[in-house]
């Protein structure tokens, strides 16, 4: 069945390219028409996530989150302006590969998806955004932070989460405020980053903020997240530099290596501070890191724990899937809900009209935000926010900003005991 | 740092097609001396350069110690790979997946026995992997041993995909970990080191010694070397070469299993946890001379130290950059690897 689809999509794409010279709008609309008549009025939303491969943990959670949103919309009576039409989620496995991302996006569009969400990885989203633009089908990024996806003048792509440079600058603000409130202002930050697009752009914006605030950034150490297997030398460099804070922009496995090395070298630090770190706010990190990662900070996009709806969602997720809901899954939930709301307001499943409705959204998300989602002309969510968490008593607790905090931050953090 | 390495005059251009004939045995003394002297000179230059770049003695010592320890891990993982290549001439892309599988078996053993010491899992995991390797070779690879190289290659890639996705199906995608009782940090000349990593290095040394003894001192080992050197000749003197293939693949898989158990305590256990070492392990195997078991140990140290010193000399670059610079220079100067030999 699936092979059949892929073949059909490939053949369709080849014909479309040959006949229309890359303007694929006719293709997507005829595809949408054909599918909706076959599916009996169902509205298809395509979800592209890495369900297998190294990022499967997040990918599968994100598909679950998206499915929960579809279920919630259907349970509440479907899309009301279209006579209660039901939503249907079509998932595709990107395997974490950019080329698979674009072929699967094409397949979903050909089989009638009115909107796409995804994809967790910036490299994959870059390709999917190009496919979405070419076919004039809206694409809402749940998780993908590289700035340059949305600097190409695309009109059909939108991003819910803060981009990498926003996370770098908001992360620095969070660190400075937490340290300032504890009357131990930050003097020198050691910055450890994965040297891909995410780490580098986070570093760039963190650096300019630090420079403006007169905080010394030294040493700055990059590493290759895919192959690194030991961080002891890097942490020894941090220890020798006399920095009072270690900031880390990286992913899960390397985050655990950092924690192991910090526990081995025991540098004198006031804090280990994650900047959009993929490890320091994961429930699993508490099990995997030495001393349960006690005292580790992370400034990251997150489920808004001051919002009762978000807490209820996380609880439902736990009950349904037996594991703690990750922020990425909440972002996928938000992406589907936002698209459903746009379809309702557009009173149409024409992708171009849905796109216009998405552009004027004011959806209230489950992820921590400074207000309702608002997209600027580039497609960035101008209200995207982040919060800081700290691991205290083996629990990941929201400590910043003070308004939604579950508890007060402990600074200097008890990291080297 | 690497331009000081002169091309040895005796390396013939056709040496790429080398057989593992004598690579299991000791090297010619003169050649070994030459290689060791060049390696030592290059290493000394790199250490001085890295020390100046780092500007701190502790950092330099830490880099050296960490380089040796990660090198031990790399050679541990590369051991099965090089053995299988040496005898079967198959590049085993499933090696990393086997390491990953062994990590999960360790996890299951520790959980299933109510938190027993993870190293005791060796008693269960190594025989299990030995059996798995034998079955894979007997059923999947033996029938195609005379087929072109890419057929065997694709089969090992297929095994890797199957193993990783079965792990994903059975254990789910969330990362796991295994705790090592009594694991703590110790100081070596001011460098901080986790005990678990020292144990892994010791394990790598023991594994090399065991493989070396089996290959050199037993009748079976002699048969394995004979098949490696000349399969037709071995068949003529009455060696059942298919059985030797099964045995070698089984031992290679068991070595990957031992590696998985030993690195489990400091690894994030995910279905892809073993395959992240694939690229590095191939470099180690080629540097050490393909098919050369002790060479893999030296190759591991070379890669480990290059990574660490390279990161100090070229901050902000991927540690693999330095590794591949060294790799290319070595391949240019010695196409058969530092310790490989042309036949």
């Amino acid at each position: 069945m699936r092979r059949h689809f892929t073949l059909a999509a490939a053949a369709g794409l080849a014909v479309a390219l040959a006949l229309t010279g890359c303007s694929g709008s006719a293709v997507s609309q005829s595809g949408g028409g054909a599918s909706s008549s076959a599916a009996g009025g169902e509205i298809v939303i395509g979800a592209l996530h890495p369900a297998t491969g190294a990022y499967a943990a997040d990918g599968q959670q994100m598909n679950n989150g998206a499915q929960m949103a579809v279920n919630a919309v259907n349970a509440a009576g479907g899309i009301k302006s279209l006579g209660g039409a039901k939503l249907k989620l079509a998932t595709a496995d990107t395997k974490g590969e950019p080329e698979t991302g674009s072929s699967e996006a094409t397949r979903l569009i050909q089989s009638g998806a009115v909107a796409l969400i995804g994809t967790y990885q910036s490299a994959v989203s870059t390709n999917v955004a190009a496919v979405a633009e070419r076919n004039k089908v809206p694409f809402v990024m749940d998780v993908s932070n590289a700035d340059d996806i949305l600097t190409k003048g695309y009109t059909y792509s939108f991003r819910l989460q803060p981009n990498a440079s926003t996370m770098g600058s908001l992360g620095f603000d969070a660190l400075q405020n937490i340290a300032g409130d504890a009357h131990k202002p930050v003097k020198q930050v050691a910055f450890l980053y994965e040297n891909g697009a995410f780490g580098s752009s986070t570093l760039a914006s963190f650096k300019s903020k630090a420079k403006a605030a007169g905080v010394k950034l030294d040493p700055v150490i990059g590493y290759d997240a895919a192959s690194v297997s030991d961080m002891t030398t890097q942490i020894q460099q941090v220890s020798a530099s006399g920095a009072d804070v270690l900031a880390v922009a990286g992913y899960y496995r390397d985050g655990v290596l950092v924690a192991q090395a910090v526990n081995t070298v025991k540098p004198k630090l006031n804090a280990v501070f994650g900047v959009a770190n993929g490890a320091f706010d994961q429930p699993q990190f508490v099990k995997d890191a030495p001393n349960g990662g006690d005292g580790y900070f992370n400034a990251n996009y997150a489920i808004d724990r001051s919002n009762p709806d978000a807490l209820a969602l996380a609880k439902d997720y736990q009950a349904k899937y037996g594991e703690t809901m990750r922020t990425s899954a909440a972002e996928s939930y938000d992406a589907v809900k936002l698209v459903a709301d746009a379809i309702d307001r557009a009173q149409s499943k024409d992708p171009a009209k849905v796109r216009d409705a998405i552009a004027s959204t004011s959806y209230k998300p489950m992820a921590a935000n400074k207000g309702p989602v608002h997209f600027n002309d580039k497609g960035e969510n101008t209200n995207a926010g982040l919060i800081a968490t700290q691991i205290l008593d083996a629990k990941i607790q929201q400590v910043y900003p003070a308004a939604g905090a579950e508890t007060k931050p402990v600074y200097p953090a008890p990291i080297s005991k | 740092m690497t331009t000081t390495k002169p091309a040895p005059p005796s390396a013939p251009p056709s040496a790429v097609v080398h057989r593992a004939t004598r690579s299991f045995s000791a090297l010619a003394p003169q050649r070994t001396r030459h290689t060791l002297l060049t390696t030592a000179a290059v290493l000394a230059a790199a250490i001085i350069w890295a020390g100046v770049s780092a500007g701190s003695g502790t950092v330099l010592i830490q880099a050296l110690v960490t380089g040796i320890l990660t090198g031990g891990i790399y050679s541990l993982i590369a051991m099965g790979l090089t053995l299988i290549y040496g005898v079967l001439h198959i590049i085993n892309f499933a090696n990393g997946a086997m390491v990953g599988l062994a990590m999960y078996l360790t996890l299951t053993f520790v959980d299933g026995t109510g938190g027993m010491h993870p190293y005791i899992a060796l008693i269960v995991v190594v025989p299990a992997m030995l059996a798995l390797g034998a079955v894979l070779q007997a059923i999947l690879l033996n029938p195609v041993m005379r087929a072109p190289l890419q057929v065997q290659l694709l089969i090992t890639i297929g095994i890797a995909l199957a193993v990783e996705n079965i792990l994903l199906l059975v254990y789910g995608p969330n990362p796991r970990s295994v705790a090592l009782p009594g694991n703590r940090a110790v100081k070596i000349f001011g460098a901080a080191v986790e005990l678990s990593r020292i144990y892994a290095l010791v394990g790598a040394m023991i594994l090399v010694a065991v493989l070396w003894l089996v290959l050199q001192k037993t009748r079976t080992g002699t048969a394995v070397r004979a098949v490696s050197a000349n399969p037709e000749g071995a068949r003529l003197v009455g060696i059942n070469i298919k059985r030797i293939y099964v045995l070698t693949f089984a031992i290679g898989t068991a070595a990957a299993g031992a590696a998985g158990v030993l690195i489990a305590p400091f690894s994030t256990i995910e279905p892809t946890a073993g395959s992240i070492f694939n690229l590095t392990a191939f470099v180690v195997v080629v540097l050490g001379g393909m098919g050369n078991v002790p060479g893999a140990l030296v190759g591991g140290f070379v890669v480990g130290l290059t990574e660490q010193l390279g990161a100090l000399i070229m901050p902000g670059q991927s540690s693999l950059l330095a590794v591949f610079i060294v790799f290319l220079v070595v391949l240019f100067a010695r196409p058969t690897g530092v310790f490989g030999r042309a036949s």
Side-chain angles (χ1 to χ4, degrees):
Chain A
M1 192 63 190
R2 177 160 169 162
R3 156 169 291 192
H4 183 75
F5 262 121
T6 318
L7 279 175
L13 182 68
V15 171
L17 284 175
L19 293 182
T20 65
C22 286
S23 102
S25 62
V27 176
S28 76
Q29 273 159 22
S30 68
S35 157
S36 57
S37 59
E42 273 185 340
I43 299 170
V44 180
I45 296 177
L48 296 139
H49 295 116
T52 59
Y55 301 105
D58 276 287
Q60 296 188 2
Q61 280 239 355
M62 294 172 87
N63 282 338
N64 294 342
Q67 187 61 52
M68 285 182 79
V70 166
N71 295 350
V73 170
N74 287 345
I79 305 293
K80 298 201 176 68
S81 70
L82 293 175
K86 295 281 188 261
L87 288 186
K88 183 173 174 250
L89 191 72
T91 58
D93 180 11
T94 64
K95 302 179 190 157
E97 302 163 352
E99 59 276 24
T100 311
S102 45
S103 63
E104 288 290 274
T106 309
R107 178 177 71 81
L108 289 173
I109 291 170
Q110 301 273 319
S111 60
V114 300
L116 302 176
I117 67 158
T119 65
Y120 187 69
Q121 288 150 287
S122 295
V124 182
S125 289
T126 303
N127 277 10
V128 173
V131 171
E133 192 71 20
R134 201 157 55 224
N135 291 284
K136 303 206 186 313
V137 170
F139 170 44
V140 180
M141 280 173 262
D142 36 27
V143 177
S144 284
N145 53 32
D147 292 30
D148 61 5
I149 304 172
L150 290 179
T151 54
K152 296 175 183 134
Y154 289 160
T155 53
Y156 276 81
S157 292
F158 304 89
R159 168 168 27 217
L160 272 175
Q161 68 153 170
N163 63 25
S165 60
T166 309
M167 288 203 276
S169 57
L170 291 181
F172 182 82
D173 292 346
L175 169 62
Q176 218 187 14
N177 286 331
I178 290 170
D181 288 350
H183 306 293
K184 298 231 188 280
V186 182
K187 294 193 190 84
Q188 183 184 347
V189 178
F191 202 97
L192 197 55
Y193 69 104
E194 68 85 24
N195 57 13
F198 154 56
S200 313
S201 44
T202 308
L203 167 66
S205 56
F206 192 94
K207 195 189 231 165
S208 62
K209 272 274 187 173
K211 200 174 172 193
V215 171
K216 190 176 167 195
L217 205 59
D218 180 66
V220 174
I221 309 168
Y223 62 87
D224 180 32
S227 67
V228 69
S229 60
D230 192 307
M231 292 277 199
T232 324
T233 310
Q234 288 87 332
I235 299 302
Q236 197 71 261
Q237 278 177 277
V238 171
S239 177
S241 73
D244 56 332
V245 172
L246 167 63
V248 190
Y251 301 112
Y252 186 78
R253 198 180 61 85
D254 37 322
V256 175
L257 290 173
V258 168
Q260 287 174 350
V262 165
N263 186 53
T264 309
V265 176
K266 300 202 191 308
K268 289 191 178 58
L269 293 169
N270 284 338
V272 178
F273 198 93
V275 184
N277 192 286
F280 301 165
D281 58 4
Q282 297 287 359
Q284 185 65 30
F285 181 75
V286 180
K287 292 180 200 156
D288 291 354
N291 301 327
D294 200 27
Y296 278 60
F297 284 101
N298 198 14
N300 207 351
Y301 60 101
I303 296 173
D304 184 2
R305 268 176 269 218
S306 59
N307 175 354
D309 291 344
L311 289 177
L313 174 69
K315 207 173 155 191
D316 285 354
Y317 188 100
Q318 174 92 41
K320 188 158 188 211
Y321 299 103
E323 52 186 30
T324 310
M325 187 181 205
R326 296 184 179 203
T327 307
S328 51
E331 296 275 356
S332 300
Y333 180 92
D334 280 337
V336 170
K337 286 290 281 256
L338 187 152
V339 169
D341 167 68
I343 296 170
D344 191 30
R345 284 185 292 112
Q347 303 179 9
S348 164
K349 47 187 175 182
D350 172 7
K353 289 189 180 134
V354 174
R355 180 256 157 223
D356 292 343
I358 290 174
S360 64
T361 191
S362 56
Y363 168 76
K364 289 185 189 61
M366 300 295 169
N369 236 32
K370 287 183 272 187
V373 174
H374 174 264
F375 292 121
N376 66 11
D377 55 353
K378 281 182 173 174
E380 299 277 15
N381 174 7
T382 54
N383 277 335
L386 50 72
I387 59 143
T389 54
Q390 187 176 23
I391 302 175
L392 294 168
D393 304 323
K395 276 208 312 243
I396 298 156
Q397 313 216 37
Q398 195 163 322
V399 294
Y400 172 92
E406 294 172 291
T407 182
K408 275 185 178 301
V410 177
Y411 191 98
I415 44 166
S416 290
K417 29 173 206 196
Chain B
M1 90 181 148
T2 38
T3 45
T4 51
K5 188 187 279 285
S10 54
S14 64
V16 195
V17 212
H18 96 289
R19 307 292 283 180
T21 323
R22 278 166 291 182
S23 54
F24 286 122
S25 60
L27 303 167
Q30 193 199 338
R31 189 153 178 128
T32 308
R33 209 178 305 130
H34 183 178
T35 307
L36 285 179
L37 278 177
T38 318
T39 311
V42 171
L43 188 64
I47 290 173
I48 293 167
W49 190 357
V52 171
S53 302
S56 152
T58 318
V59 172
L60 180 63
I61 293 170
Q62 181 73 54
L64 291 174
V65 171
T66 309
I68 299 274
L69 288 170
T70 49
I73 297 165
Y74 295 154
S75 43
L76 191 59
I77 291 165
M79 215 68 77
L81 198 62
T82 203
L83 180 70
I84 289 173
Y85 181 81
V87 179
L88 286 81
H89 299 278
I90 290 177
I91 301 167
N92 181 17
F93 275 94
N95 190 63
M98 293 302 172
V99 175
L101 173 62
M103 288 190 204
Y104 275 101
L105 291 178
T106 311
L107 179 79
T108 309
F109 176 84
V110 171
D111 287 353
T113 52
M116 208 181 264
H117 198 287
Y119 292 157
I120 299 176
L122 282 169
I123 301 170
V124 182
V125 174
V126 170
M129 298 297 284
L130 197 76
L132 176 66
V135 169
L136 287 176
Q137 176 68 32
I139 294 176
L140 291 178
L141 286 164
N142 259 352
V144 295
M145 285 307 286
R146 281 167 181 278
L149 181 72
Q150 66 268 24
V151 174
Q152 298 137 26
L153 207 85
L154 284 173
I155 289 180
T156 63
I157 293 175
I159 296 172
L161 282 174
V163 168
E164 279 174 13
N165 284 293
I166 289 170
L167 290 176
L168 184 63
L169 200 67
V170 174
Y171 292 94
N174 282 319
R176 314 279 285 269
S177 60
V178 167
L180 184 71
N183 188 23
R184 59 192 169 82
V186 292
K187 291 267 178 187
I188 302 175
F189 307 119
V193 178
E194 263 184 303
L195 278 178
S196 56
R197 289 178 186 263
I198 298 180
Y199 298 151
L201 175 66
V202 173
M205 304 261 202
I206 295 174
L207 193 63
V208 176
V210 169
L211 286 178
W212 173 264
L213 286 175
V214 167
L215 289 171
Q216 297 297 327
K217 303 291 177 197
T218 64
R219 273 180 73 85
T220 319
T222 311
V224 169
R225 283 185 292 134
V227 172
S228 158
N230 188 338
E232 290 309 316
R235 195 202 304 275
L236 286 175
V237 296
I239 296 173
N240 182 342
I241 63 169
K242 292 234 157 170
R243 190 179 295 160
I244 295 296
Y245 285 159
V246 168
L247 184 73
T248 310
F249 200 86
I251 295 175
T253 309
V261 176
L262 289 171
I263 70 170
F266 50 87
S267 299
T268 293
I269 303 176
E270 304 170 290
T272 51
S275 47
I276 60 165
F277 292 105
N278 267 350
L279 194 59
T280 318
F282 287 129
V283 175
V284 168
V285 167
V286 176
L287 278 184
M290 297 190 75
N292 187 333
V293 171
L297 187 66
V298 182
F301 292 144
V302 170
V303 171
L305 285 170
T306 307
E307 255 187 17
Q308 292 294 321
L309 297 177
L312 291 182
I313 293 170
M314 298 180 286
Q317 300 301 319
S318 165
S319 55
L320 285 177
L321 177 64
V323 171
F324 279 97
I325 291 174
V326 169
F327 184 59
L328 287 175
V329 171
V330 169
L331 274 193
F332 180 72
R334 296 286 287 267
T336 54
V338 179
F339 294 92
R341 289 191 65 196
S343 49

